[in-house]
Amino acid sequence: MTVSTFAAHVLRGTLAARPAATDVQPGTLYVATDTGLVAQSDGAAWTAYAYVVPAGGSTGQVLTKTSGADGAYDWET
Amino acid sequence: MTARFADHLIRGTAAGIPAASDVPVGTLYEESDTGVVRQSDGSSWTVYALTVPPGGSTGQVLAKTSGADYDADWAAAGGGGGAALSDFRLPGVGDDGTAFGATTLDEMEYAGTTPLSAVWTAIAGTGLRAAGSEAVVQLPTTAGHGIWIDASGFDPSYEVAFLVSGHGPAGSNVAMLGIQLTSAAGVGIAMTPYSDGNSYLWEVGSGTAHVYASTGPSGGVAYTAWEDGRPVWFAIRYDGAGHYRLRRSEDGATWTTLIASASRAAVAGLARVGFFNANAGSSEAVSVHAVIYGTPDLGV
């Protein structure tokens, strides 16, 4: 059995920098800081686990839905 | 050090966060009062994510409070904290300017010979729009009388915009629709239509020089019959430094400055934003399509 630390199961970075789901331990969470998508690996693929507030934005902008899809939002004036 | 899985996921107030060195490496701490989730690297905490913050009230939106990542909180819609629509009171709109009862702006009404025909609907806390048929008001025949919003509580740091069009009779001296931002005594800045047959100007003051607020269907100032003019936007905005700026646009995108810098001092006791008749003896119907405030994004 592969041994890994807890910290290796809770990763974060941009969506583009997210590693392959096969390269992390099953159950690993990855927060895409630029989109707010929290995905979980099952060892083969990433699936949406939760959504958080994305980074970025400027004063006065509001979180706005960009489509009816879950997780489709960004900071807009 | 051996730790249970549950020891890596803890929660409490921002003030109650333990030292990063006192928790296992990788531990996540959710601040229940801010929504921020922090992660320990064994020596310090760094932001891991921001969940949707607690609190807020109906109609509020999540708005950035600075340009820093995750710096956001619940705020009133339409400019992140602007005045609520209900803060605008319309104590009286009559053809003689006499107050006839307190209402809120979203209950805008008119007691003249022709009532507002539209149902006014709030636009997400930023203004009003006419639903169904356009809102038509019949301005009175006495110069200086009209309808207006009681602006005594108006925060001039916010913009007020009107989408209007004239509907006037044949002739060149028509569509005497005006917008004014004045004291109750009528002193202030105004955008009013006036035709001397040749020139049309915008000026600070009331009752002197004017311009057509809404041009005729073919772009000119004259109407050939009772007909609708082209819709036009007017916007009034305080620059925060002692002056008002007035602009107009016929497409809502390209703005023409009418008054670049009108002294705020000219408006002694700001009281009214609305429409009035600048020409004694004339009588015109005016179409009022929308009233918006608190929307500096218009870029005027």
Side-chain angles (χ1 to χ4, degrees):
Chain A
M1 179 178 70
T2 303
V3 176
S4 64
T5 62
F6 175 83
H9 290 80
V10 283
L11 308 176
R12 72 191 296 270
T14 64
L15 185 61
R18 190 175 67 184
T22 54
D23 291 341
V24 299
Q25 291 293 316
T28 294
L29 296 177
Y30 186 95
V31 175
T33 54
D34 50 342
T35 68
L37 169 64
V38 182
Q40 185 174 40
S41 170
D42 61 6
W46 292 103
T47 56
Y49 177 78
Y51 301 95
V52 295
V53 179
S58 58
T59 304
Q61 288 190 308
V62 299
L63 198 60
T64 305
K65 290 288 289 187
T66 54
S67 79
D70 289 344
Y73 50 71
D74 61 13
W75 294 113
E76 293 185 7
T77 300
Chain B
M1 180 174 65
T2 301
R4 301 174 304 157
F5 178 80
D7 293 333
H8 293 82
L9 302 171
I10 53 180
R11 187 170 189 268
T13 63
I17 191 169
S21 56
D22 290 343
V23 298
V25 173
T27 293
L28 297 178
Y29 184 93
E30 183 192 5
E31 297 176 355
S32 57
D33 49 347
T34 67
V36 174
V37 179
R38 301 184 188 278
Q39 186 174 39
S40 168
D41 62 5
S43 61
S44 63
W45 293 101
T46 56
V47 174
Y48 178 75
L50 175 66
T51 62
V52 177
S57 58
T58 302
Q60 286 191 310
V61 299
L62 194 61
K64 294 288 292 185
T65 52
S66 82
D69 286 347
Y70 308 118
D71 201 355
D73 203 354
W74 297 111
L85 187 63
S86 58
D87 290 345
F88 277 78
R89 290 183 61 253
L90 187 66
V93 282
D95 58 359
D96 61 358
T98 302
F100 57 86
T103 62
T104 58
L105 183 57
D106 54 356
E107 296 170 341
M108 189 173 183
E109 58 186 274
Y110 178 68
T113 55
T114 304
L116 288 168
S117 58
V119 175
W120 290 85
T121 306
I123 307 172
T126 62
L128 303 171
R129 68 181 172 207
S133 60
E134 62 187 13
V136 178
V137 298
Q138 179 74 46
L139 289 187
T141 58
T142 302
H145 291 184
I147 66 167
W148 51 80
I149 301 164
D150 174 9
S152 57
F154 176 57
D155 179 347
S157 64
Y158 292 98
E159 183 177 83
V160 177
F162 300 88
L163 175 61
V164 299
S165 68
H167 179 85
S172 61
N173 193 14
V174 297
M176 302 296 283
L177 151 69
I179 296 176
Q180 63 179 180
L181 185 63
T182 71
S183 69
V187 177
I189 53 180
M191 295 185 287
T192 61
Y194 175 79
S195 169
D196 62 0
N198 294 298
S199 61
Y200 314 98
L201 303 172
W202 295 89
E203 285 195 358
V204 178
S206 62
T208 53
H210 314 285
V211 70
Y212 275 97
S214 180
T215 56
S218 60
V221 297
Y223 289 55
T224 57
W226 272 95
E227 55 192 351
D228 289 327
R230 297 191 303 193
V232 60
W233 281 95
F234 292 97
I236 304 172
R237 189 176 188 183
Y238 181 59
D239 67 1
H243 296 85
Y244 290 103
R245 182 170 57 192
L246 310 182
R247 290 188 177 184
R248 74 186 293 270
S249 169
E250 288 202 1
D251 59 14
T254 302
W255 293 86
T256 300
T257 298
L258 302 170
I259 299 175
S261 183
S263 172
R264 185 183 184 184
V267 183
L270 177 65
R272 296 173 180 173
V273 178
F275 307 91
F276 69 104
N277 194 336
N279 182 40
S282 67
S283 178
E284 297 83 23
V286 175
S287 302
V288 183
H289 297 276
V291 180
I292 295 177
Y293 72 91
T295 53
D297 295 341
L298 284 173
V300 302

